[in-house]
Amino acid sequence: MKNKSQSDTLPKKNIKTYWPLVLILLFIMAGTLYFGWLRGEYDLWMSSFNDSFTVKNWFVDFMGLFFVAFSFFKLLDVGAFARAYRSYDIPTQIWPKWGYVYPFIELLFGLLLLHRIQLFWTNIAIAIVLSISVIGVIQSVLKKREIKCACLGTGFNLPMSQVTIIEDGLMIIMAVLMLIL
């Protein structure tokens, strides 16, 4: 009987593969629009922005919801996430407990952003943590390692790919932009 390798269990990369990620991002985008609407920054029905709309507020809401949502999926099975994350994350390979701490760090980032607490320091921490984290992702993609991405925990069978680099990269860029906006 043939042993299934991890690459045999990964899906082919197509829209169905990334549908859970797309759906979650659509929910986050809807939540971001809703929060802006609650603050009176724009009228959802007229699709118009008011003078109070700022890119920074949009980034803060989007990133806050992003980190809360992504931490939720990791927290569903922290142990499985930590094991999957260790397969490509350099800090977790050095200190395995980081895989258990990381989902709580993401949750903390999300809550700090949504409550607008210490935004300057929160964004510096986000930029540092994700810049270190993305190194292992880039290495795995460049080596064409067929591994499961743990970005949404282990409940979804998402492959590690350029999408993961883009996802982390956008969060880093948004954190840095918020430092200068």
Side-chain angles (χ1 to χ4, degrees):
M1 190 167 167
K2 186 180 169 186
N3 233 356
K4 277 194 168 190
S5 69
Q6 189 172 9
S7 63
D8 292 338
T9 63
L10 287 173
K12 291 187 175 159
K13 297 173 186 170
N14 60 36
I15 190 65
K16 278 188 171 185
T17 302
Y18 294 105
W19 180 243
L21 179 63
V22 170
L23 188 59
I24 291 165
L25 291 175
L26 288 173
F27 274 99
I28 291 169
M29 190 73 89
T32 302
L33 289 171
Y34 179 69
F35 283 174
W37 175 75
L38 286 176
R39 278 192 305 276
E41 292 178 356
Y42 44 86
D43 185 341
L44 290 178
W45 312 117
M46 302 298 286
S47 298
S48 61
F49 294 93
N50 300 329
D51 291 338
S52 61
F53 172 81
T54 65
V55 172
K56 185 173 184 173
N57 275 340
W58 192 91
F59 280 2
V60 170
D61 291 338
F62 182 86
M63 289 178 67
L65 290 171
F66 177 93
F67 283 119
V68 168
F70 277 55
S71 70
F72 168 80
F73 290 103
K74 292 171 178 82
L75 290 168
L76 289 174
D77 189 345
V78 178
F81 165 76
R83 287 186 296 280
Y85 199 46
R86 189 173 184 194
S87 70
Y88 62 88
D89 183 64
I90 295 168
T92 307
Q93 291 169 358
I94 295 166
W95 185 53
K97 298 228 185 290
W98 178 248
Y100 293 90
V101 172
Y102 187 78
F104 295 97
I105 299 293
E106 273 195 344
L107 179 59
L108 179 63
F109 286 159
L111 294 174
L112 289 171
L113 288 165
L114 291 173
H115 291 284
R116 278 133 169 102
I117 297 171
Q118 295 292 326
L119 289 178
F120 179 80
W121 295 109
T122 300
N123 283 302
I124 286 177
I126 290 168
I128 291 168
V129 169
L130 290 182
S131 293
I132 294 168
S133 177
V134 79
I135 294 168
V137 173
I138 291 169
Q139 286 178 342
S140 294
V141 170
L142 289 176
K143 291 178 183 175
K144 298 183 187 316
R145 291 181 60 208
E146 299 264 340
I147 59 174
K148 188 175 178 178
C149 179
C151 58
L152 285 175
T154 55
F156 299 101
N157 200 16
L158 295 172
M160 180 70 66
S161 69
Q162 293 89 347
V163 172
T164 312
I165 296 171
I166 292 167
E167 169 194 310
D168 286 350
L170 285 175
M171 289 296 111
I172 294 166
I173 290 167
M174 289 171 77
V176 169
L177 284 174
M178 281 196 288
L179 291 170
I180 58 177
L181 289 177

